[in-house]
Amino acid sequence: MFPDDIQTLARQVIETAAARGLTLATAESCTGGLVAAALTAVPGSSAVVERGFVTYSNAAKTELLGVPADLIETRGAVSEAVARAMAEGAVTHSRARVAVSVTGVAGPGGGSADKPVGLVHFGAVGPAGAVHVAHRFGNPGREEVRLASVRVALQLLLDRIGA
């Protein structure tokens, strides 16, 4: 279902989290649950993956993750502040100790001069602290932006676990 490199990363995340006794949550917008799908494709993932939030709409980000509506209004859903709030909200609204968030513009439309197609913000929290990264993947196509985002999210989980 996923390319080999994503399967390998997902397996590393599951094995490392299991070895450290950590549970995970995902908070996804533009990836629509693909990060959680990659993780749960790994045998034994049920011991590690606590839950996944697909918060595609702004209302879902607010209702399920507690992202302040005024933060979304002032900064936009595709922003560092919202990515951080989504990751923090995933931990707050779950039993997980580690979380990753993804929010971006996968395309082919929907971009702007400030937030072009291919701009994706990530947040992650865990024992290794909190972090934000942003990537500009360009416009290689919706599927490629989403798969590239899954790769980044899985690597961020590994980093937050402390691998």
Side-chain angles (χ1 to χ4, degrees):
M1 176 175 193
F2 290 99
D4 289 346
D5 64 320
I6 289 177
Q7 291 179 48
T8 298
L9 267 173
R11 190 170 29 263
Q12 289 173 332
V13 170
I14 296 299
E15 290 172 357
T16 305
R20 289 182 167 79
L22 296 172
T23 52
L24 312 174
T26 63
E28 303 180 64
S29 188
C30 68
T31 48
L34 288 175
V35 178
L39 291 168
T40 58
V42 177
S45 59
S46 61
V48 172
V49 179
E50 204 279 321
R51 70 184 71 183
F53 298 91
V54 177
T55 55
Y56 209 69
S57 71
N58 292 342
K61 289 172 183 65
T62 299
E63 293 167 11
L64 297 175
L65 299 173
V67 177
D70 64 329
L71 183 66
I72 295 171
E73 281 183 36
T74 58
R75 300 289 184 85
V78 180
S79 65
E80 175 179 351
V82 169
R84 286 182 180 274
M86 287 172 65
E88 292 164 6
V91 169
T92 300
H93 296 279
S94 72
R95 293 181 178 95
R97 293 194 46 218
V98 181
V100 67
S101 68
V102 185
T103 182
V105 185
S112 68
D114 291 341
K115 297 179 183 184
V117 170
L119 173 62
V120 182
H121 286 270
F122 303 84
V125 295
V131 68
H132 161 265
V133 297
H135 283 271
R136 291 179 182 260
F137 297 113
N139 193 358
R142 185 174 183 81
E143 181 177 345
E144 287 308 312
V145 170
R146 288 165 42 109
L147 288 175
S149 296
V150 171
R151 290 177 180 98
V152 171
L154 291 172
Q155 187 60 56
L156 283 172
L157 282 172
L158 266 180
D159 294 345
R160 292 309 92 197
I161 291 167

